[in-house]
Amino acid sequence: MSVESEVSLDGKKLTIAIKGRFDFGSHQQFRESYERFYKVPDAYVVDLKETTYMDSSALGMLLLLRDHAGGEEADISVINSSSDVRKILAISNFEKLFDIN
């Protein structure tokens, strides 16, 4: 499991890529991936292309990111999720909270 983050050249978009299992073991790395930046980006992208598993603690971490990014006003996209991960997001009604592609 690893969490990598990359900010756009203009500093307006932060992309967070989760590789492997997205579970409680990822908590500290995931949080640091967005809290370590002095300037808060305008948009966040969570890339799940290489995510093999997601549990309820990962859903909670996404909600913490949403709170950090501005709550209802947050611009967060969840992209490249596998069919299994997309199913978990759908069951949890996360498409109402995040832009899921």
Side-chain angles (χ1 to χ4, degrees), residues 43-97:
Y44 294 81
V45 175
V46 179
D47 188 345
L48 302 179
K49 182 179 183 179
E50 296 184 48
T51 303
T52 57
Y53 172 81
M54 172 186 261
D55 69 3
S56 61
S57 63
L59 297 174
M61 287 184 265
L62 288 173
L63 293 174
L64 289 172
L65 171 62
R66 184 174 185 257
D67 288 344
H68 175 82
E72 289 183 26
E73 305 301 317
D75 180 2
I76 303 174
S77 298
V78 178
I79 64 170
N80 297 324
S81 52
S82 68
S83 60
D84 289 340
V85 169
R86 189 179 296 262
K87 199 177 300 182
I88 292 167
L89 293 167
I91 290 169
S92 305
N93 285 322
F94 269 47
E95 67 274 357
K96 294 179 181 177
L97 304 175

